[in-house]
Amino acid sequence: MKQTPEEIAHANLAFGAYFAKTLSILGVEKIFFSPGSRSTPMVIGVERFSDIDLIPVLDERTAAFLALGQSKRKKQPVGLICTSGSALTHWFPAVTEASHSGVPLLLFSADRPPELQNCGAGQTIDQENIFGNFVRQFHQLEVPQTNENYRDHLVTALKSAYQKSLGVNPGPVHINFPFREPLLSESEVHIDFDLTGFLTQPTDNIYPNSPTEISKIISSSKKLLIVAGQYVEKNHLQQLYSKEVPVICDSLSSIRNTDEASLILRYENLLRDQNFAQKAKPDSIIILGPLPTSKTLRKWIENTSSKRIIIEPRGIKVDPLSGESIDCQISFDQLSEIDIPTQEPGWLDYWQNAEEKINSKMTKAFLDELTLFEGKLAYLLSLHLPDRSNLFVANSMPIRDIEWFWQKKTSNRKLFGNRGVNGIDGTLGTAIGIAHESEHPSFLLTGDLAFLHDSNAMLFDKQFKGSLTIFVINNEGGGIFEHLPISREPEFEKCFATPQNFDLSKLCSTFGIKYSLETSWSQIIEKIEKPIAVGIEIIEIPTNRKKDREIRQKLLSLSYRTDA
């Protein structure tokens, strides 16, 4: 039966009420949205019928990265709402990152009704399953109805989406909602259904493997090495530090914020030394999640032909290396249950002694270094960042400087990055999302190109609540390309380095954001130790990327041997 305009409007408003109420009971606390007409039922529903924090953001791309950052820090699903047409395509970069890095997002897109599809109607594209395999689940709903069947279907879809986003392999989930006009009713709507009993809490994740199986695989290992990915936390390995096993960890793992003797951070230097690389060959390697960035480490692991055990709780393939490996799916919380066999005497000592010798040389080099070498900022951040602060690290050279030069220090700092697909997309937006409403100060370490690529996110400054200090390394282009053979070619500056002619001070002035240019390390340390109390501050640090490349090469060639 054809609905009257008032029936359509009433169904849309009722939809909004059930949509908002269900999400609120499930536990959604925050939704970012971008303005649009077709999404009116969702936006009005959340605003009128829930206590969910509904935050307007001008463009969908920034909104998506803000949500990504929030979810990274809070580790719970954050919602996104957009109108129909090209709007949701601007979510794509953030969706791909969330998918590959296991970040839960709830994507709620409005759409035109079936009769306006494939007929040239404005602001209409094929939105069904538009994100393909990048989402964990997709739901296509019908236009809102006032009957109980539709209501139950809506609640079921939302519950399934929420639980799937937090499943064994967490990530984004997409629900597409078509709406007919009129989009809003002037009449009142009352919820007459007890949703509390209808909604159930998600069950605990069940893993197919066990620590006992892994214990059997490594039972004869005498030279075991652990490589911990970015999602491994300090508490996960607490019981394993005393097992005389060297631990290499990703640049973003919280394990770096410890003083554990078994932790090896100078592996880039060590493994570039052929003598050490050969003598330090393990018989077994336990790899926890995705590998660290280092190509040197990856190539060395591949060349050792050691037995590789890959532990990945999400049950996905994360080993890009050639040769055989054994995949095991358990929770990182179960790592303490693995029985580590007695290791060969001197195995850990060999790694530790070499580590200490290189670190001593590196520390001296940094203390003697007076020029504005961009890698020194990563070194200083590791020493001076406030306890419990958040640090987001951009891709390309900043993440590598953190990997190469970060120093051990026991603290409760949290490190973040977009290492799912390793792009520079959304660097600023994600950092702002992490910092927004955080109780602790936040920092962003980024290059000039990554910052400019996402400068639109600066528009969120007026709504931002928190403290975010941004260090922009301005080396006039893409510094990472200086480390590639293409840097010697005549086309390099135009086609790869791509330097941008911009005045960051004027850009900050336009947005009303505090700015300073710093060339003194003592002043930079003060900015780290005493960050802005409220708001966003941008600190530009000019460097020379060609000189930086030379200094990096010298630092990474430091050897543990006294004759080198």
Side-chain angles (χ1 to χ4, degrees), residues 34 40 154 509:
S34 300
T40 297
L154 170 64
S509 177

Side-chain angles (χ1 to χ4, degrees), residues 345-363:
W347 169 239
L348 177 59
D349 290 339
Y350 185 64
W351 283 84
Q352 285 178 337
N353 292 336
E355 162 97 354
E356 290 172 2
K357 291 175 182 177
I358 289 178
N359 209 53
S360 178
K361 292 182 179 181
M362 186 171 287
T363 299

Side-chain angles (χ1 to χ4, degrees), residues 3-21:
Q3 293 176 300
T4 66
E6 181 54 33
E7 287 173 335
I8 292 172
H10 185 78
N12 286 335
L13 190 58
F15 159 88
Y18 284 109
F19 173 80
K21 184 69 172 178

Side-chain angles (χ1 to χ4, degrees), residues 17 158 259-260 277 344 357 426 459 475 500 502 518:
L158 291 172
D259 283 323
E260 294 295 339
E344 180 179 290
K357 291 175 182 177
L459 284 169
N475 57 15
Q500 304 297 306
F502 76 105
E518 301 294 350

Side-chain angles (χ1 to χ4, degrees), residues 44-63:
I44 294 300
V46 173
E47 193 73 355
R48 288 186 184 178
F49 301 102
S50 77
D51 293 327
I52 295 172
D53 188 13
L54 185 66
I55 305 175
V57 182
L58 176 62
D59 70 292
E60 290 80 7
R61 184 177 180 276
T62 297

Side-chain angles (χ1 to χ4, degrees), residues 298-309:
R298 294 181 178 213
K299 184 177 180 181
W300 175 75
I301 291 175
E302 206 167 41
N303 291 339
T304 62
S305 300
S306 304
K307 183 188 297 181
R308 294 203 307 272
I309 302 95

